């Protein structure tokens, strides 16, 4: 077997799962090839920005994360840009209505979850990984509102001593001291001489390089206008803010060579090129990856549509959800969500077209491969065995989610709090359809006011199970 050359590896990287690749004169591709061969010594900075509006990373996000891991293995440095400031504004992409603002407390909670989960895919050593919030440059000194007991000291140095003077935390001087000390650019990245901050002046400068027609012509905005729906200015300037992020990252890290995202983010990512050009910075290249459809086989994978598969779910949940996808998207899932060679995927596609193989058997392999990526080979094999025992032999899965609840709590409330149902009306529908039962006693639950008074193993629908233990 002939050895795969770096050139061939790179060619597959920039074609597999890629919807758009903007790289004038092959600048990024050539730089990457030099990095792989050891001829490029500077950092190659790759930006992936995400608004932490929801806590779960799903297989759709993982399409990008797995590509980023490959870039890391080639020596690139991934900058995970947390849009904690822009999350509170809301990206209007694909939104037919104004997205509600997210409270900072919720953003912080989701942020921690995101950082924990990316470690399942990305390497996190400093040489190839960094993360930073965009509130670091979008937040002004006067935006700070410090607790009254927050300690701020002003250092006065002379030749022989250092004198500390207590400063009122919410005075301008107090806020200024706290502001500098809390910037990630200073405390985490060690940039003390020049901290990048966006002021009204610099924001207006950015707006001078973007035309109104560029923003208003976006399909989603035109659709809203035609329907008579509201369109607010903060939504229109969101792409400009995202473009500013790239410009600032280039200043902080020395370059911003590439930005990656889904094809629905292409407009926003190109804004980075526009503003970097205006600042006489080398403009970033852009990769827009194809979007993975959800388990419904129709819409893009999204938590809000409840058609997602979280990488944090237990193996049996992931396996069961993959088995539920329509046959029509099997090949897309192999291409976007696994590491299977493209040659193998083409053979599978041909076999499916010629009906030489049962789609169910192909899905078993697909589900096993996906579980293996996030939980290991042993878990993938066990999940397959568990699935076959459950749905061929009527057995109960081994790795069921277990929760503890107080006695006599309503089942509808339990399932709602654990996201097994979307609403009480959803619970009613499942009960009316006979889809909720005691998995051990084989009794269907028909009472909408059913209260749990003893340990029970529930079966919800065909493929979901839940152990409830009384505290």
């Amino acid at each position: 077997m002939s050895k795969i050359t770096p050139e061939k590896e790179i060619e597959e990287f920039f074609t597999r799962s890629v919807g758009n690749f903007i790289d004038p004169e092959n600048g990024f591709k050539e730089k990457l090839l030099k990095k792989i061969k050891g001829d490029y010594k500077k950092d190659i900075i790759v930006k992936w920005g995400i608004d932490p509006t929801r806590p779960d990373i799903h297989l759709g996000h993982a399409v990008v994360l797995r590509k980023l891991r490959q870039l890391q293995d080639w020596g690139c440095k991934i900058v995970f840009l947390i849009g904690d400031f822009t999350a509170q504004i809301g990206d209007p992409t694909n939104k037919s209505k104004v997205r509600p603002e997210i409270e900072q407390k919720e953003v912080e909670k989701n942020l921690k979850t995101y950082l924990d989960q990316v470690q399942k895919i990305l390497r996190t050593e400093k040489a190839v990984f960094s993360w930073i919030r965009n509130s670091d440059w979008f937040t002004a000194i006067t935006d700070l509102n410090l607790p009254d007991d927050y300690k701020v000291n002003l250092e006065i140095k002379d030749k022989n001593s250092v004198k500390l003077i207590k400063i009122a935390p919410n005075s301008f001087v107090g806020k200024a001291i706290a502001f500098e000390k809390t910037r990630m650019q200073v405390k985490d990245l060690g940039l003390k001489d020049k901290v990048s901050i966006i002021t009204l002046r610099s924001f207006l400068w950015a707006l001078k390089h973007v035309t109104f027609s560029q923003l208003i012509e976006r399909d989603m905005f035109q659709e809203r206008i035609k329907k008579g729906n509201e369109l607010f200015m903060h939504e229109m300037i969101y792409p400009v803010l995202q473009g500013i992020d790239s410009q600032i990252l280039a200043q902080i890290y020395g370059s911003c060579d590439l930005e990656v995202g889904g094809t629905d983010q292409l407009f926003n990512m190109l804004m980075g090129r526009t503003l970097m050009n205006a600042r006489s910075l080398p403009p970033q290249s852009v990769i827009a990856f194809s979007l993975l459809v959800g388990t419904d086989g129709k819409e893009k994978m999204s938590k809000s549509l409840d058609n997602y598969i979280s990488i944090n779910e237990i193996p049996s949940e992931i396996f069961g959800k993959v088995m539920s996808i329509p046959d029509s998207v099997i090949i897309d899932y192999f291409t976007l969500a696994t590491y299977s060679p493209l040659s193998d995927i083409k053979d599978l596609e041909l076999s499916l077209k010629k009906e030489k193989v049962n789609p169910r058997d192909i899905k078993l392999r697909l589900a096993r491969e996906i579980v293996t990526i996030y939980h290991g080979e042993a878990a993938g094999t066990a999940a397959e065995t568990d699935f076959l025992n459950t749905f061929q032999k009527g057995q109960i899965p081994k790795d069921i989610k277990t929760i503890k609840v107080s006695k006599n709590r309503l089942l509808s409330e339990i399932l709602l709090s654990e996201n097994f149902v979307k609403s009480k009306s959803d619970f009613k529908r499942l009960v009316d359809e006979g889809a909720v039962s005691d998995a051990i006693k084989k009794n269907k639950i028909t009472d909408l006011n059913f209260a749990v008074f003893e340990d029970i193993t529930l079966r919800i629908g065909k493929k979901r199970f839940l152990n409830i233990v009384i505290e």
Side-chain angles (χ1 to χ4, degrees):
M1 184 182 291
S2 59
K3 186 179 178 181
I4 299 176
T5 64
E7 287 84 358
K8 285 186 178 179
E9 279 191 291
I10 285 177
E11 197 56 42
E12 179 171 324
F13 178 88
F14 288 112
T15 52
R16 179 172 181 167
S17 309
V18 174
N20 304 89
F21 180 36
I22 313 299
D23 186 32
E25 301 176 358
N26 289 324
F28 181 81
K29 192 182 284 188
E30 290 177 4
K31 193 182 295 183
L32 180 60
L33 183 58
K34 288 180 181 178
K35 189 73 172 177
I36 293 172
K37 292 180 176 180
D39 298 330
Y40 190 84
K41 304 304 179 185
K42 295 180 182 178
D43 281 339
I44 293 180
I45 302 298
V46 180
K47 168 194 173 188
W48 186 45
I50 191 163
D51 286 353
T53 51
R54 294 194 179 263
D56 283 336
I57 289 181
H58 54 59
L59 292 186
H61 298 129
V63 173
V64 180
L65 285 167
R66 290 186 303 107
K67 285 286 193 176
L68 292 176
R69 173 56 189 265
Q70 195 167 354
L71 287 170
Q72 283 185 316
D73 291 342
W74 283 334
C76 297
K77 185 167 190 170
I78 307 306
V79 175
F80 193 45
L81 177 65
I82 302 293
D84 63 326
F85 178 85
T86 41
Q88 295 176 75
I89 296 172
D91 183 359
T93 300
N94 293 332
K95 303 293 187 299
S96 59
K97 295 180 180 178
V98 180
R99 189 170 79 177
E101 293 184 7
I102 307 295
E103 292 295 329
Q104 182 63 26
K105 187 177 180 181
E106 186 177 347
V107 168
E108 291 295 325
K109 180 181 176 183
N110 294 343
L111 167 57
K112 185 182 183 305
T113 307
Y114 266 81
L115 291 172
D116 288 343
Q117 290 179 80
V118 295
Q119 295 180 61
K120 287 194 170 188
I121 302 173
L122 296 182
R123 293 162 54 191
T124 55
E125 59 265 36
K126 286 185 177 181
V128 292
F129 181 81
S130 181
W131 74 275
I132 193 166
R133 312 163 184 260
N134 63 6
S135 61
D136 217 59
W137 46 87
F138 283 127
T139 304
I141 291 173
T142 51
D143 289 332
L144 296 184
N145 185 18
L146 303 170
D148 292 334
D149 59 352
Y150 190 89
K151 293 182 179 179
V152 179
N153 294 314
L154 178 63
E155 291 185 0
I156 306 295
K157 296 182 180 179
D158 58 27
K159 291 182 180 180
N160 302 315
S161 63
V162 176
K163 188 176 182 180
L164 297 179
I165 301 175
K166 276 182 115 178
I167 302 293
N170 283 304
S171 66
F172 184 81
V173 175
K175 287 185 177 184
I177 294 171
F179 181 83
E180 183 177 17
K181 287 184 176 179
T182 56
R183 296 308 88 188
M184 290 185 72
Q185 298 170 62
V186 176
K187 67 185 182 68
D188 295 320
L189 301 179
L191 303 177
K192 296 181 180 179
D193 296 332
K194 187 179 178 182
V195 177
S196 295
I197 299 293
I198 294 300
T199 62
L200 179 59
R201 180 189 291 272
S202 54
F203 178 61
L204 290 175
W205 179 91
L207 290 181
K208 281 174 60 178
H209 295 85
V210 182
T211 67
F212 179 74
S213 60
Q214 279 179 283
L215 299 175
I216 199 68
E217 285 172 4
R218 296 187 76 182
D219 292 343
M220 73 197 72
F221 290 160
Q222 287 297 312
E223 185 180 339
R224 278 209 221 168
I225 291 168
K226 287 175 184 176
K227 291 181 178 179
N229 293 336
E230 293 172 321
L231 176 61
F232 291 92
M233 286 304 300
H234 75 281
E235 297 179 283
M236 291 191 65
I237 65 171
Y238 185 96
V240 180
L241 298 176
Q242 186 167 327
I244 289 173
D245 285 340
S246 295
Q247 169 202 319
I248 296 294
L249 288 184
Q251 293 169 199
I252 293 174
Y253 291 92
S255 69
C256 185
D257 302 289
L258 177 72
E259 181 171 7
V260 303
T263 49
D264 57 344
Q265 288 291 315
L266 182 60
F267 182 92
N268 293 1
M269 293 191 289
L270 290 176
M271 190 59 68
R273 288 183 56 83
T274 298
L275 295 180
M276 293 170 82
N277 261 320
R279 281 286 184 192
S280 298
L281 295 167
Q284 64 186 15
S285 296
V286 168
I287 297 181
F289 292 110
S290 302
L291 299 175
L292 183 69
V293 297
T295 52
D296 56 4
K298 298 174 183 177
E299 303 286 346
K300 82 165 187 174
M301 187 169 286
S302 165
K303 187 168 184 185
S304 60
L305 296 174
D306 197 28
N307 65 355
Y308 73 104
I309 303 173
S310 169
I311 68 170
N312 220 28
E313 292 180 83
I314 59 175
S316 62
E317 286 285 331
I318 295 176
F319 201 99
K321 286 185 177 182
V322 174
M323 292 301 295
S324 74
I325 66 172
D327 296 347
S328 59
V329 298
I330 290 175
I331 298 303
D332 283 342
Y333 267 67
F334 265 109
T335 304
L336 298 174
T338 77
Y339 292 110
S340 287
L342 289 177
S343 56
D344 285 2
I345 296 172
K346 285 180 180 177
D347 290 342
L348 290 173
E349 186 175 18
L350 190 61
S351 297
L352 285 169
K353 282 182 179 177
K354 292 184 176 181
E355 298 183 348
K356 289 184 176 180
V357 65
N358 188 328
R360 177 182 168 282
D361 295 333
I362 301 297
K363 273 196 274 192
L364 284 170
R365 171 181 163 179
L366 173 64
R368 184 176 66 251
E369 287 192 20
I370 290 175
V371 171
T372 296
I373 290 172
Y374 304 107
H375 292 284
E377 188 174 351
T381 302
E384 181 177 22
T385 302
D386 219 16
F387 181 87
L388 292 172
N389 286 337
T390 301
F391 299 105
Q392 285 186 344
K393 302 176 184 178
Q395 296 180 10
I396 298 172
K398 294 178 182 178
D399 63 340
I400 304 172
K401 181 177 182 180
T402 299
I403 61 168
K404 293 181 179 181
V405 302
S406 56
K407 195 172 184 179
N408 291 325
R409 190 175 170 194
L410 287 177
L411 179 59
S412 58
E413 293 178 355
I414 296 171
L415 296 184
L416 190 58
S417 66
E418 294 296 323
N419 295 317
F420 272 78
V421 295
K422 300 176 193 175
S423 61
K424 288 190 176 180
S425 58
D426 186 29
F427 174 74
K428 181 179 184 303
R429 177 186 59 79
L430 289 169
V431 169
D432 290 344
E433 292 173 355
V436 183
S437 62
D438 183 324
I440 296 175
K441 296 179 180 177
K442 310 293 183 185
N443 295 331
K444 289 184 179 180
I445 293 172
T446 57
D447 183 2
L448 294 176
N449 293 313
F450 181 88
V452 179
F453 62 93
E454 62 180 356
D455 295 353
I456 186 172
T457 299
L458 284 177
R459 183 170 189 153
I460 303 103
K462 292 181 179 180
K463 301 173 182 177
R464 292 185 296 169
F465 291 82
L466 179 66
N467 270 331
I468 299 177
V469 177
I470 301 299
E471 289 183 305

